[in-house]
Amino acid sequence: MPGWLEAGAWGLLGGLALVVGAAVAWTVRVPPALTAGVMAFGSRVLISALAFDLAAEAAETGGLLAAVAGLLAGAVAYVLANVALARRGARHRKRSGAQQPSEGDQQGSGAAIAVGSLLDGIPESVVLGVGLLGGGGVSTAMVAAVVISNVPEGLSSAAGMKASGRSARYVFGVWGAIALVVGVAAAVGYAALGDAPPEVVAVITAVAAGAILTMVADTMIPEAFERTHLLTGLVTCLGFVVAFALSQGA
């Protein structure tokens, strides 16, 4: 299988996990506490995978300074884009309750939520795509982290969309389109960076990692810890243990 096609397939797999989560939220009423617990677990798996795989690899390949600069650049870029989308009604796009505005509450919020959700998925697809560069296989730990985090992410966000009165056509149109776009983004990322020096790939990986980490802190953790309360520490530790075990076996 050509490398770009394999990268696209891994990106699509990560995107489809969002669709699976949305389907669960649409067909079954998941208790908010369970949603928050699964979100906490998924966010910790993703954060740990970023540290064990992406940040460490970027520093090893491109140097500590380049890795730090890339992480901060990704964080700043994500924050700037997220602030613009938050002003248009997309701030609570990952919340499962009634925090998301309806179209009647804020005109254009549906489009903003869709664009915001796409913004959250693009860095993950880039990471999966560039992970195949150099002839190596995709990181099992990173794929698992993306899938494990995307299922509750799609579940929580779709529950919030449903609570705000959005239709099934909108919900599944958004997540289906995002799954396709992130698959294409992974393939394009692989193709565009195929001949890039390892140091450039390392910086781009760090930028994507910084954006992912900022996304987790800004959109997933508020939902994750709102209702977990006394179980927060335990769920966090479980997520860390899973990511650590995957990184050791990857």
Side-chain angles (χ1 to χ4, degrees):
M1 179 185 297
W4 65 268
L5 186 58
E6 183 180 355
W10 286 116
L12 181 62
L13 175 63
L16 288 177
L18 293 166
V19 180
V20 170
V24 172
W26 194 263
T27 56
V28 180
R29 187 186 181 282
V30 181
L34 178 59
T35 300
V38 177
M39 186 75 89
F41 178 83
S43 64
R44 283 306 173 263
V45 171
L46 190 53
I47 289 175
S48 300
L50 292 177
F52 294 137
D53 278 9
L54 301 188
E57 182 180 343
E60 182 179 344
T61 305
L64 179 60
L65 182 60
V68 170
L71 287 166
L72 292 176
V76 170
Y78 181 88
V79 167
L80 292 176
N82 199 43
V83 166
L85 289 167
R87 291 173 178 169
R88 291 165 173 77
R91 175 163 182 78
H92 299 296
R93 58 186 178 273
K94 294 292 188 294
R95 306 304 297 273
S96 61
Q99 297 95 334
Q100 291 187 29
S102 66
E103 199 66 23
D105 295 329
Q106 185 169 354
Q107 189 71 24
S109 60
I113 290 170
V115 174
S117 299
L118 179 60
L119 171 69
D120 299 338
I122 290 296
E124 295 174 352
S125 66
V126 171
V127 164
L128 293 176
V130 299
L132 290 170
L133 294 175
V138 68
S139 167
T140 303
M142 198 62 224
V143 171
V146 169
V147 172
I148 290 172
S149 64
N150 277 358
V151 170
E153 185 180 337
L155 190 157
S156 180
S157 185
M161 292 175 180
K162 187 177 182 180
S164 67
R166 303 197 187 278
S167 66
R169 180 178 179 180
Y170 170 87
V171 172
F172 291 103
V174 165
W175 294 120
I178 288 173
L180 292 175
V181 171
V182 297
V184 171
V188 170
Y190 178 94
L193 296 171
D195 298 323
E199 293 78 12
V200 173
V201 174
V203 172
I204 292 174
T205 299
V207 170
I212 295 171
L213 181 58
T214 308
M215 178 274 291
V216 170
D218 197 58
T219 66
M220 293 180 70
I221 288 179
E223 175 69 18
F225 292 107
E226 183 175 5
R227 297 183 176 89
T228 52
H229 300 302
L230 295 177
L231 295 177
T232 297
L234 177 60
V235 174
T236 298
C237 185
L238 287 174
F240 176 86
V241 167
V242 169
F244 179 72
L246 289 172
S247 70
Q248 294 302 297

